[in-house]
Amino acid sequence: AGRPHLRALNRISLTQRLTLMFVLAASSVLLGLGFVVAASVEQHFEDLDMEVLSGKMELTRQALLRVHSQQGLTEFTHQLAYSLVGHHGMEVMVIDADEAVIFATGHAGFDPALVIRQATQASNQPALWQLDAQTYRGLAARFPTAIADAAGQPLRVYVAVAADIGHHQAYMQSFLQTLWLFVAGAALLTGMLGWVAVHRGLAPLRAMRRQAQGVTAQQLSQRLPVNTIPRELAELAQSLNEMLARLEEAFQRLTEFSSDIAHELRTPVSNLLTQTQVTLSRARGADDYRQILESNAEEFERMARMISDMLLLAKSDHGLALLQRQELSLADEVRALFDYFDALAEEKNVTLRLLGDGTVSADRLMLRRALGNLLSNALRHADPASTVTVRVQMLERGVEISVANQGEPIAPEHLLRVFDRFFRVDPARQRSSEGTGLGLAITQSIVQAHGGRISAASNEGVTTFTMSLPDQLGSEHVAARVV
């Protein structure tokens, strides 16, 4: 049942909500203050009435104590009548023990039974009595006289003193009407002023909205102002700016990646197209066609490797790379890779050396691919007659594997990008000999999928790539960074 109300509330703008809250808060405060003042005034009127009524009641009690006979009681009623001259709205009634009215002012037509009951049950306690269209606040009590009854006990009479409070009620009614009118006017004024205040207060939000509307794929460099808006909104603007920076960086990387993909695929496609067109330009022998098909097959293999590598990177970016972990001896894995690269190392007159040993919980195929990429990269850039060293070192919470080669150093500005996709330190090199340019990016993705990190360093002619892998999944991960 409450859902339609919630939907209706959600359609109300923030300005309207805050304005409504201001109106409700101000009206509640004014109403509360008004009721407190009204109660205070009412109590003040009651205190004034009680002061007068108590005085008359005490005067009556003292006078009754000096009544010694029935004649004196008659004289008492005359004196009481004289004492009430000029007290407009004051009514007095005296009733004997037989519930007979001994004395009553002109308008004191109260029910004797009511007066006796009030005097018996709540003596000297104020009560409201209704008589015709008038309301009275009265006191009732039972007082002794100096007259002795048949049993020798003091004769007691009932005395009621009441004051007309009609003028008090008229004042309170007028006061409450004025209060309601004032609250209504104040609520209206508060709503207007609140709307203006909220509208101006939310101006930075509207400015942020206008600037956010201008953010497009082609204009991700825009940022929201932080120093010119309130502190509460500055935190939101800062968070949005950081989000825009991340989006801009991701979009830039995606744009560059798309451009690199197009550039990388354009070369083999262009080669295939050129060779095919040349082949079809005239009739050729079977050996020529075989040679061209073999060349085309190499280009197709290169494209297939590139597509496979890009699929692996896409899965790693989205956490879809599934690991088949097992305990591996790193020395055994490295020796197996040495056997695979032995021919290439012998061709370049490079020595492969392994130092240390250790175990790690990892996916065998993915770990071999990461290490193979590092070894391939090291052999490709190693100086002739030099040594490529693989060092394995056990750490407190994992293992560290480094691959170092002697050769031309990598410039510091290039070290920051060696793990970028399709990045090559020397773009002028033959692409056919440089692979797809995704090897180090894939290595980084594999290391990160294992919860590790990889870094690169190049000093004094020695380039070192270092992988740090935790002992198991869930170990303390260190964010991947490039040194």
Side-chain angles (χ1 to χ4, degrees):
R3 291 181 179 178
H5 299 287
L6 292 177
R7 288 195 294 267
L9 182 62
N10 291 333
R11 288 194 292 268
I12 299 177
S13 68
L14 184 58
T15 301
Q16 294 173 332
R17 291 186 190 185
L18 292 177
T19 302
L20 182 60
M21 291 174 61
F22 287 157
V23 171
L24 291 177
S27 301
S28 299
V29 171
L30 290 175
L31 283 174
L33 179 62
F35 285 127
V36 169
V37 173
S40 178
V41 172
E42 181 69 26
Q43 184 63 42
H44 177 67
F45 286 157
E46 182 177 343
D47 293 341
L48 291 178
D49 292 339
M50 288 299 297
E51 182 178 358
V52 175
L53 295 176
S54 298
K56 291 299 181 182
M57 188 68 77
E58 180 62 21
L59 178 64
T60 303
R61 188 182 70 84
Q62 293 293 335
L64 285 172
L65 290 175
R66 294 192 293 272
V67 174
H68 295 84
S69 62
Q70 291 294 334
Q71 181 64 28
L73 187 58
T74 303
E75 295 176 357
F76 160 75
T77 57
H78 293 307
Q79 294 175 359
L80 187 58
Y82 289 137
S83 66
L84 293 176
V85 175
H87 290 273
H88 301 288
M90 179 71 66
E91 308 295 337
V92 179
M93 175 181 286
V94 181
I95 305 172
D96 62 13
D98 297 328
E99 298 187 8
V101 178
I102 301 174
F103 172 81
T105 54
H107 299 286
F110 307 118
D111 184 6
L114 175 65
V115 173
I116 294 174
R117 184 168 61 252
Q118 179 71 21
T120 304
Q121 297 177 357
S123 178
N124 288 321
Q125 295 298 319
L128 293 179
W129 297 332
Q130 195 71 29
L131 185 62
D132 297 331
Q134 300 294 325
T135 302
Y136 294 86
R137 178 176 285 112
L139 291 177
R142 187 182 184 190
F143 294 143
T145 64
I147 303 174
D149 58 10
Q153 297 296 325
L155 180 66
R156 294 178 178 272
V157 295
Y158 298 97
V159 178
V161 181
D164 184 5
I165 60 173
H167 60 292
H168 293 169
Q169 291 178 325
Y171 174 83
M172 290 304 300
Q173 183 178 4
S174 175
F175 174 80
L176 290 177
Q177 290 177 350
T178 304
L179 174 64
W180 281 110
L181 291 175
F182 178 79
V183 170
L188 180 61
L189 181 61
T190 301
M192 296 173 59
L193 296 178
W195 185 89
V196 173
V198 173
H199 187 75
R200 296 191 61 180
L202 295 180
L205 274 180
R206 291 191 295 274
M208 292 170 62
R209 178 179 62 84
R210 289 192 296 270
Q211 292 186 351
Q213 288 176 338
V215 176
T216 62
Q218 291 74 32
Q219 295 180 341
L220 287 174
S221 60
Q222 291 192 8
R223 296 294 182 268
L224 302 176
V226 177
N227 299 326
T228 59
I229 59 178
R231 182 175 58 185
E232 295 80 3
L233 296 180
E235 297 177 357
L236 174 61
Q238 183 63 32
S239 299
L240 292 176
N241 287 338
E242 293 173 356
M243 180 190 70
L244 288 175
R246 293 192 298 270
L247 289 176
E248 182 181 16
E249 180 183 0
F251 189 80
Q252 182 65 27
R253 290 173 63 89
L254 180 61
T255 302
E256 294 176 355
F257 186 44
S258 301
S259 177
D260 290 338
I261 290 176
H263 185 71
E264 292 292 333
L265 292 178
R266 182 176 59 184
T267 299
V269 171
S270 178
N271 293 339
L272 291 170
L273 181 61
T274 300
Q275 290 182 3
T276 302
Q277 290 175 343
V278 170
T279 302
L280 295 175
S281 63
R282 60 183 178 85
R284 299 179 183 274
D287 292 338
D288 292 337
Y289 284 120
R290 179 182 297 277
Q291 184 179 0
I292 292 172
L293 289 176
E294 290 176 352
S295 177
N296 288 349
E298 291 180 0
E299 294 294 342
F300 282 127
E301 289 177 358
R302 182 171 180 271
M303 292 175 64
R305 289 197 306 269
M306 185 184 302
I307 293 173
S308 177
D309 292 343
M310 288 188 296
L311 287 175
L312 175 61
L313 289 173
K315 288 182 179 180
S316 299
D317 289 343
H318 292 84
L320 300 178
L322 300 179
L323 303 180
Q324 301 294 329
R325 287 180 174 268
Q326 55 181 308
E327 289 294 327
L328 301 176
S329 171
L330 291 174
D332 293 342
E333 300 302 321
V334 173
R335 291 190 189 98
L337 291 171
F338 279 0
D339 293 339
Y340 178 80
F341 288 103
D342 185 64
L344 178 61
E346 184 177 352
E347 179 183 350
K348 296 196 64 173
N349 193 23
V350 173
T351 303
L352 299 177
R353 182 173 61 174
L354 170 64
L355 299 177
D357 190 7
T359 59
V360 68
S361 176
D363 186 293
R364 182 190 297 274
L365 294 179
M366 295 184 71
L367 180 62
R368 281 195 177 185
R369 184 165 189 177
L371 289 173
N373 288 341
L374 294 181
L375 278 173
S376 175
N377 184 75
L379 287 170
R380 187 181 304 120
H381 299 291
D383 291 336
S386 63
T387 302
V388 172
T389 303
V390 178
R391 187 184 302 273
V392 180
Q393 182 179 0
M394 293 299 298
L395 303 177
E396 181 180 356
R397 293 189 177 181
V399 63
E400 184 178 88
I401 311 165
S402 63
V403 179
N405 69 277
Q406 298 174 357
E408 183 179 353
I410 302 176
E413 63 271 17
H414 291 157
L415 281 175
L416 299 176
R417 298 192 58 194
V418 292
F419 296 105
D420 290 351
R421 299 166 186 181
F422 298 114
F423 176 77
R424 293 180 177 86
V425 175
D426 185 4
R429 293 178 178 174
Q430 294 293 332
R431 295 190 179 272
S432 59
S433 64
E434 292 295 311
T436 63
L438 296 173
L440 292 179
I442 290 175
T443 300
Q444 184 183 51
S445 296
I446 291 174
V447 172
Q448 291 177 348
H450 283 79
R453 63 176 185 176
I454 185 171
S455 61
S458 186
N459 298 304
E460 300 178 356
V462 178
T463 300
T464 305
F465 287 86
T466 303
M467 296 190 306
S468 297
L469 299 176
D471 53 359
Q472 59 182 1
L473 188 63
S475 297
E476 182 179 0
H477 291 183
V478 182
R481 61 184 178 89
V482 178
V483 180

